[in-house]
Amino acid sequence: MPANHAKRAFKYRFYPTDAQAAELSRTFGCVRKVYNLALAARTQAWARQERVNYNATSAMLTAWKKTEELAFLNEVSSVPLQQALRHLQTAFTHFFAKRANYPRFKSRKKSRKSAEYTTSGFRFRDGEVTLAKMTGPLDIVWSRPLPLGAKPSTVTVSQDAAGRWFVSLLCEDPAVKPLPATDAAVGIDVGLDYLLTLSTGEKIANPRHERRDRACLAKAQRELSRKAKGDGTNRAKARRKVAKVHARIADRRRDMLHKLTTRLVRENQTLVIEDLTVRNMVKNHTLARAISDASWSEFRSMLEYKAAWYGREVIAVDRFFPSSRLCSVCGTLQDKMPLSVRTWTCDCGTTHDRDVNAANNLLAAGLAVTVCGAGVRPQRRTPDGQSATKQKTPRREP
């Protein structure tokens, strides 16, 4: 692969025939079964202080297929089953490296329904994708074109909780390459009243996508609560209605974040953010809903991978840096700064907007890191491999 080309996933809706839907549903079930069997085998070996790798689980899969109890595994393509074992191997690799927790078993109701096909498990010809064990191509809605001459290396088929089907094609994208360097740099302070406050003074409103659909979501959830518990058809329909509302909220939020992060990365060479522990912050039940709706973690994730694509730099400031209490003009540190204080005047006579001042301090600290490593404490890692981040409790959502 050329050095300046990156692999990028292109995701599309598709509408399977009844036969294709049945085949994919069987495949999803078999993928989940193989993953859980392999995880159980590796867990038992772990208890015996033994390690089982991918090659061993692959041999187990061959043996499982020969048993009467698991003979149904032969009815689906073997490629997604092997990929499930590779994904399990990756999960254990992250666990042993202390970057993640111990792998968990997949649930039939709660786990994501997906199957991954490598080049031997699908055919891509004349703009059509045909999966193994299927006679016809998938009816894909090509909402945007693939890169010219693209050849997918993997195809991932999934179904979300709302019943929508998606296919994701992983291709080399020549359009993803470093942008021309620029001297522009920006500090970014996240919040709830405003989603982002930039060191330039610009404030980006929080669209509060979940709040806009809260009444509709509450109605769907009430209808679901009235259905008899179990696997009944009526309860399944009510559950899909709730899932559709959640999917609509998530789609709007993701679309907004994509546009916002792409703009920031294109305009700035250096982007400085706070290293927030969102996982701990959502334990505050008063603010958990608003924090989750703001989706700070997804914003940071998008910002980081797009910066890597386009040759930009993202700097995360340590959690102990007092960005809100420090005067960005004279450097005086205030003893206290209650969350109710949104504007304040320093002893030097400068009146600050709390969020703009914090963004300016983040920018200065981030630029100091690029020069001499001063002004920001180095990031620490927790036992699970995650970065130790600034725990900042935002004020109550109005």
Side-chain angles (χ1 to χ4, degrees), residues 30-39 61 64 73 81 84-85:
C30 291
V31 166
R32 183 179 62 251
K33 181 69 173 179
V34 167
Y35 186 94
N36 288 342
L37 287 171
L39 177 54
L61 176 59
W64 293 334
L73 296 176
L81 306 184
L85 298 180

Side-chain angles (χ1 to χ4, degrees), residues 58 76-77 113 119 146 159 169 178 191 208 251 292 310 318 347:
S58 182
V76 302
S77 171
K113 299 177 181 179
T119 51
L146 289 174
Q159 184 184 27
L169 311 177
R208 305 181 192 275
D251 287 346
S292 298
Y310 298 114
D318 187 83
D347 294 338

Side-chain angles (χ1 to χ4, degrees), residues 126-187:
D126 299 328
E128 292 184 334
V129 177
T130 305
L131 302 178
K133 299 283 187 176
M134 294 186 184
T135 56
L138 301 179
D139 182 14
I140 300 175
V141 180
W142 297 100
S143 52
R144 56 174 173 168
L146 289 174
L148 187 63
K151 294 182 179 179
S153 57
T154 63
V155 171
T156 302
V157 181
S158 60
Q159 184 184 27
D160 67 6
R164 302 180 300 177
W165 295 85
F166 295 94
V167 58
S168 179
L169 311 177
L170 186 64
C171 310
E172 290 181 14
D173 189 359
V176 176
K177 55 186 177 181
L179 295 170
T182 175
D183 294 331
V186 66

